[in-house]
Amino acid sequence: MKNVADIYPLSPVQLGMLFHTLAEESAEGSGVYVNQYTCQLVGPLNLALFRQAWEQTVASHPVLRTAFLWEGLDEPLQVVREAVELPWNLLDWRGSELQAEKLEDFLSCDRTRGFDLAQAPVLRLTVVLLRDDVCQLVWSSHHLLFDGWSLPLIWQDMLSFYKGLSQEKAPDLVVRRPYRDFIAWRQGQDTEAEAAKRERFWRSQLSGWGEPTPLPAAYSTGAKRVQAYQQQSKRITPEVTQRLTKTAQQYRLTLNTLVQGAWALLLSHFGGFGGGSSGGKGVMYGSVVSGRPPELSGVENMVGLFINTLPVCVEIQPEMAAVAWLKERQQQLLALRDHEATALTDIQKWSDLPAGGPLFESIVVFENYPAAVDLDLDFSVENVRYIEQSNYPLALLVVPGESLELILLYDTARFSSAVVTQLLAHVELLLSAFLERPIARLCELPRLTEAEQRLLKAPRQVDYPRELTIHELIEQQVERTPSAEAVVFEGEVLTYRELDEKANALAGELRSRGISAGDRVALCLSRSREMIVCMFAVLKVGGTYIPLDPDYPASRLVYCLEDTAPVLVCTERSVKLPSTTFPVLFVDDPLLNRDFAGDQNRLGQPSDLAYIIYTSGSTGRPKGVMVSHRNLVHSTWARTDFYPEPVGRFLLLSSIAFDSSVAGVFWSLCTGGTLVISPQRIEQDLQELASLIEREKITHTLGVPTLYGLLLESANVRQLATLTTVVVAGEACSRRLAQQHYSKLPGATLYNEYGPTEATVWCSGYRIPAELPRGPVSIGRAIANTQMLLLDDDLQPVPTGAIGEIYVAGDGVSQGYLNQPERTESAFIPCPSSLSPYTKLYKTGDLGRYQPDGRLEWLGRSDRQVKIRGYRIELGEIEDALRGHGSVQEAVVIARSTGLATGLKTGLETDLVVDNESLVSALLALPAAQADELLATVEGGGG
Ligand code: AMP
Ligand code: MG
């Protein structure tokens, strides 16, 4: 064979890297595992000698003359060439402008160029002349050749050659054993017994680790992967570095252990695998080890690829003292070293993680490299940068020194630079926590930096009429705009004065029937102007209104009535109310027109309940949410703070039994807008809905995204031209809907409101921009006087980018569930004073994530509650209803994108799984009345 000096197999780590390179290159182009070293050489440099020095370096290192062959071979081989030609590229940019920009472009192109691994050398050099005495060296090579440790060794040899050449003397070189010695040593280790030992060890490390460790928010931006790596760095001050070193010594820990401990803890703040035996969380990351076996003499001076990346599985035991836990980490890292020569591809095979995915996505590299020797040359080496492309989305490089440096190398397709800045701040935070509080328990260590803490604890306080009731606010509006249109239904108008007069008349009637402050009045009314009059009248006498939809199944109406035990039920002759024992007032009968306006006593206090609205409950019992005037005034006032436009003509789509009606009714009536009530079931006739919007010149509306999406699809855009403000709420708003909105109605603004009934309609809002930022459509920021906290299971705040459960504190947090103290206690919990100035927290069951700019994303539920066409349904409630039937033993209900699916286990041991549509036929086997009832429960889960 010609030009072959040596042939030998690859090390396991090289094999793994070769495998990855080939897999990624076919998928995404080249550039994986390309390492790039660049620096400026300042001062007199003899370029001819410099090039010669490099040629001699390549000639003296077999590794630098190595090519990799695999095609047609049983196993890949590395072939060392006798001689190679050094790729040398000279660019003259002297006098050219924008050198810095050009250089960045050059560097990134150079990194993505990749290498032909079968052609030695798998490296190239470029010298760019920047000024007469300054040039930039760019040295790129494939990582298969050598590791970061080898780099200063090669550099030192090159400089020795240069020095020898320029002084016309033989170079002063260190004797280095060739890489093939390491390969030979490895092969000696490859006995069956050793292999079995390795496998046993790694299996025991990984056993039980069945879930991947999550990282902060990950979005696919479609950015080309090969260009996607960036880095950020942070230097720890020399004083703190010194103290860290001292503390580490004091507890016999290494700096490496401290940093890896901080990284593991930080990962656990982003979630993690909850299977630890101590009840703690488990996280896994990769640790890069030097891989240089101490048994091999002279190994520290060898050039080649030794490093390996190994999984570190860490259990976070919340009750353990930091130092004790760190000591365990150190023991663990030591134990890994005994088995460090195992290929990651093998380890992966022994793990319980789903095949196909990576074991871990973040790695820690402690760069304990030998320092280059100072050779006293004429030129100096400045601005050194060494970029190691990894195929891990996140790599923490730790460079020890007088001032410890932390570098995060990240995939920009996965992380924004703000998230990376925050991650670095958190590593530093945890390192200083180890310093300041070494014996604190892990769960006591800080999760947020001081700046984050300040931001978290300070809700935006805005003044509002805390001492007024909601009806007093409407009455003030009556004074301001008596002849403005207040309520419109089917073309018929009530002005503010008329609304007030009618409400006073009805209030007089209510008073004469003995209704007074604190009494509950149920409203079971069809959609009409009177519906609003009744609400207003009940509030005026200090009562609490309980809206019930006449379309509810009878059993649900009876349940709600019995639960609230109203002093009076206001209804109409046309409504089929199930028979009850509660007194009834038919509001369509002629009234006695008693005068109420003369009543000078103030009725109703801010702390009294304004309404009770029912939502679905998981144990078959709907929950009545009790909302006070203060809650409601806050919620309504916050709209004037958030929305730039006052209400013009608001189209009320939702049923008043649904809490989103509260938004429209009170926002309109407290600000002088006109409330246009849509006729019953208008959502079933989208043409009519569009005509209504056109006819009534609607400016504002609020509805579930599904309905708005259907409207946009079916309506003639011209009919929607008067809309200025469209609010979607109650369900996640898709990107598609937002895009559709702005393409059809660029003149109207789309808002996304989020909030549970328990926090009084809404707690955050987002003005959706026409240019959507990446990720799901945000639910925005907390409204005034409201805090939205993202907490983990231990009620600890999670960092930005981590998923946590949404908890709400503030003036909107309602008074709990009627007659259900246990459920109230578990959902409305005392608020730790470290988190909030408020005393109560409402646990929403929603999952969310904060973006670095402070906007929230909604990411689903932590329980089995679903939304179907805006209706909040706890699947357990349906299951419970089904189980209540004699011939059903067991029932399972799941939500599917097309609706609900139900599995029933009947007395006949038949299992059936049906979707929503076929539920009807499946239930036909049941008595008709029962089937209707069940279906009605499914359809109308409540507000
Ligand atoms: P409700 O009490 O009927 O208003 O329902 C509140 C629940 O609806 C919340 O807990 C969320 O699960 C869901 N929800 C409300 N608004 C939104 C929104 N803008 N995006 C996603 N989910 C929402
Ligand atoms: Mg709601």
Side-chain angles (χ1 to χ4, degrees), residues 658-661 729-730 754-758 760-762 867 870 872 943:
F658 196 37
D659 89 326
S660 65
S661 68
Y754 162 87
T757 307
E758 288 86 339
T760 317
V761 193
W762 70 322
K867 279 283 185 122
R872 175 166 152 184

Side-chain angles (χ1 to χ4, degrees), residues 809-868:
D811 292 355
V813 174
S814 67
Q815 313 306 303
Y817 303 119
L818 180 67
N819 300 330
Q820 303 204 35
E822 283 105 47
R823 287 162 110 194
T824 301
E825 206 174 302
S826 59
F828 295 81
I829 59 174
C831 182
S833 63
S834 59
L835 297 181
S836 167
Y838 298 102
T839 53
K840 243 188 331 178
L841 272 183
Y842 172 66
K843 177 175 161 63
T844 65
D846 290 312
L847 300 176
R849 179 160 62 193
Y850 268 115
Q851 287 298 304
D853 65 3
R855 284 179 301 116
L856 252 175
E857 279 167 17
W858 182 86
L859 296 168
R861 295 283 307 174
S862 67
D863 60 11
R864 300 184 62 222
Q865 176 179 303
V866 297
K867 279 283 185 122
I868 294 184

Side-chain angles (χ1 to χ4, degrees), residues 761-784:
V761 193
W762 70 322
C763 31
S764 76
Y766 181 51
R767 179 187 213 276
I768 302 175
E771 287 294 321
L772 279 181
R774 61 180 169 163
V777 175
S778 167
I779 56 170
R781 293 165 214 274
I783 57 172

